[in-house]
Amino acid sequence: VEMQRNKLDDRMELFGTADTSSIKDNLCAVFHKAIGAAYPDIVDPPVIVTTSSNPKFGDYQCNSAMPLAQQLSSFGKSTKQTPRDVAKEIMSKLKVFSVVEKYEIAGAGFINVYLKREFGQSVLRSWLWAGQVLPPYVKKKRVIVDFSSPNIAKEMHVGHLRSTIIGDSIARLLEYLGHDVLRLNHVGDWGTQFGMLIAHLRDKFPNYLTHAPPIQDLQTFYKESKTRFDEDKEFKKRAYECVVKLQAFEPDITKAWKMICDVSRQEFEKVYARLDIKLIERGESFYQRHMESIVAELELKNMLEEDNGRKVMWGEKHGSGIPLTIVKSDGGFTYDTSDMAAIKHRVEQERADWLIYVTDAGQSLHFQMLESCAKRAGILKSFHRMDHVGFGVVLGEDKKKFKTRSGDTVKLSELLDEGLKRALQKLKEKERDKVLSKDQLKAAQESVAYGCIKYADLLHNRNHEYVFSFDKMLEDKGNTAVYLLYALTRIRSIARTANITKDELRQRLHEIPISLEHEKEWKLAKVLLKFPDIILGINEDLYLHPLCEFCYEISCAFMEFYDKCYCVEKNQSGEIVKVNIGRLLLAEATALVLEKCFSLLGLKPVAQM
Ligand code: ARG
């Protein structure tokens, strides 16, 4: 942070202006300088800048005077300074800054900051000129986002849906910021259960090597083999033999395993295609050899402990948490082993410096232990960043765990089908089927269906459980995908009504200033200017709901603006008599920001809906 600030200081010194990306960072730099000049004796003074909650208090606020006054009085200076005095002192050191219209002291010692309209205009103009909202600057990293990660032969359930949606959005955001992102699907495709699946396959379809077995219904197949495994000692023995042969990569057994995996894979891929999710499958099986060597390595380093026949590993603080089970008593590997092998591979082979795992919050202890053990083993160094992005469970409308009426887990493909059905109903209710062509209607239906499912998930603080309700997510009022998608098409249609293309608008940028005079225009622009800070916040904490709240804030500010400010004036017979280009530019900037937010959230806007 300190280095970043110094860099900003230099830039301001050089250019007399600031980097336009983060208003907060820029203001921090300005206040840091002023506070340093006012109180050179204080090492590392508190620099606190926030957005103002109320327009009465300006656009941003510096709240440093209060803690500074306290710090000063603890030094036992003879002349006691009140926070207001301190604020005055800081004010006197503030330099003219191109971003700021004025500073003012308020209340106990807050310094309110008012942004300059010209600054707003220059930022919006740069976006309009580029034809897109440019990403703020961050230090680039090699990031691995491990998400979705369903298990073969088991149903991909709503928990995996959450991981898929959240992980995809995080990856989109990091890619936008320019990080080098590797999206990995850590599929559960290895382990003891494959022994019984393969043994059963071989018994039931002895000529499986030449004739593809009909095992589309893997669920039933899994249940059958499990029953045999539990009841038939002979079968159990053969199942174990199959595991051993599988782990030794014996060809026929490997082929059987592949057949089973392919059935699941086809299902997963259908879901990914529908939701437009891109990721690389690199399941647990990939790490078999790596597991063998990590066990040897840990053994050599004396980091494994005997525990009832198992070999376990404690993290940096011995005795806290639960140790990882690295080798089971039967000699087999576990989920923990594959994660230890994977983390080493990701850091050392993939050269990742940032590791992100997206799973349900129930696994948070697992990832804490993994991080701690990886540090202890010297795999993770202090410069590596590791995040477990946890999330709460999905509930049904009865507030109980999301299940079908018969109590089964909900099939994802059926859930998406239901979404499509309900989205079409909604569009028909609004009589959109009467105005849209068949293709347009289909595009709108998919946009609404998949958009609303994703958005409803991302809108909630991911730590919390949330209630899955098609009725709620398909409402066209309030903070829903439907409302926002409509808002964007409406904004886009303004220029269309005025018969002005995007390119023409862009050309007019030189002659006509973006209109920010009216109170509602300026209010909307100031919301848009928050975009870089929202994005940088997510780069820090990986919470996406502020981006959803931001989208809603934009559309509300836009509606207020549109209500008060004419963009296109028509006479009584409906002919256009005046087009306000300055306002169309503001509308276009709004559309650019909304569009960017949508693409980060994985929503696909359509031209007509
Ligand atoms: N397959 C696991 C599950 O369904 C998730 C895997 C997450 N990734 C990891 N590296 N452990 O819960």
Side-chain angles (χ1 to χ4, degrees), residues 544-561:
L544 292 157
H545 62 281
L547 188 57
C548 299
E549 284 157 12
F550 179 61
C551 287
Y552 189 57
E553 195 185 351
I554 295 176
S555 358
C556 292
F558 185 84
M559 291 310 155
E560 281 181 43
F561 151 77

Side-chain angles (χ1 to χ4, degrees), residues 396-456:
E397 292 190 72
D398 54 1
K399 303 271 162 67
K400 295 205 186 96
K401 228 175 154 183
F402 195 60
K403 287 264 156 78
T404 61
R405 285 218 185 96
S406 56
D408 294 329
T409 46
V410 180
K411 257 192 141 158
L412 281 196
S413 53
E414 281 163 18
L415 187 80
L416 298 182
D417 289 342
E418 172 79 8
L420 282 178
K421 202 178 98 200
R422 304 280 292 253
L424 188 61
Q425 260 169 22
K426 189 84 202 174
L427 289 162
K428 284 190 170 159
E429 250 169 56
K430 294 166 87 86
E431 305 204 317
R432 305 309 296 158
D433 52 329
K434 305 223 164 91
V435 284
L436 298 178
S437 72
K438 225 176 135 208
D439 287 347
Q440 284 173 330
L441 186 66
K442 185 161 178 279
Q445 179 193 10
E446 288 179 359
S447 164
V448 168
Y450 304 144
C452 78
I453 293 174
K454 290 183 184 183
Y455 193 79

Side-chain angles (χ1 to χ4, degrees), residues 146 149 151 160 186 335 339 357 359 363 367:
D146 172 324
S149 309
N151 302 313
H160 295 119
H186 192 80
Y335 187 55
D339 262 330
Y357 298 85
T359 79
Q363 298 194 35
F367 287 105

Side-chain angles (χ1 to χ4, degrees), residues 103-116:
Y103 300 101
E104 97 198 344
I105 298 181
F110 300 96
I111 301 176
N112 300 340
V113 181
Y114 292 83
L115 296 182
K116 216 184 215 156

Side-chain angles (χ1 to χ4, degrees), residues 299-356:
E299 203 114 53
L300 203 70
K301 288 183 174 161
N302 253 329
M303 289 185 175
L304 299 186
E305 264 171 49
E306 196 69 26
D307 175 75
N308 283 319
R310 308 178 304 156
K311 288 178 185 163
V312 302
M313 177 172 181
W314 289 96
E316 290 181 305
K317 270 196 223 116
H318 193 280
S320 77
I322 340 169
L324 296 185
T325 300
I326 302 294
V327 185
K328 287 193 295 186
S329 50
D330 65 8
F333 300 146
T334 70
Y335 187 55
D336 298 353
T337 326
S338 69
D339 262 330
M340 273 305 269
I343 201 168
K344 186 177 164 75
H345 186 263
R346 290 170 187 189
V347 165
E348 293 176 7
Q349 308 297 311
E350 290 293 350
R351 304 242 147 244
D353 33 35
W354 187 1
L355 302 161
I356 297 175

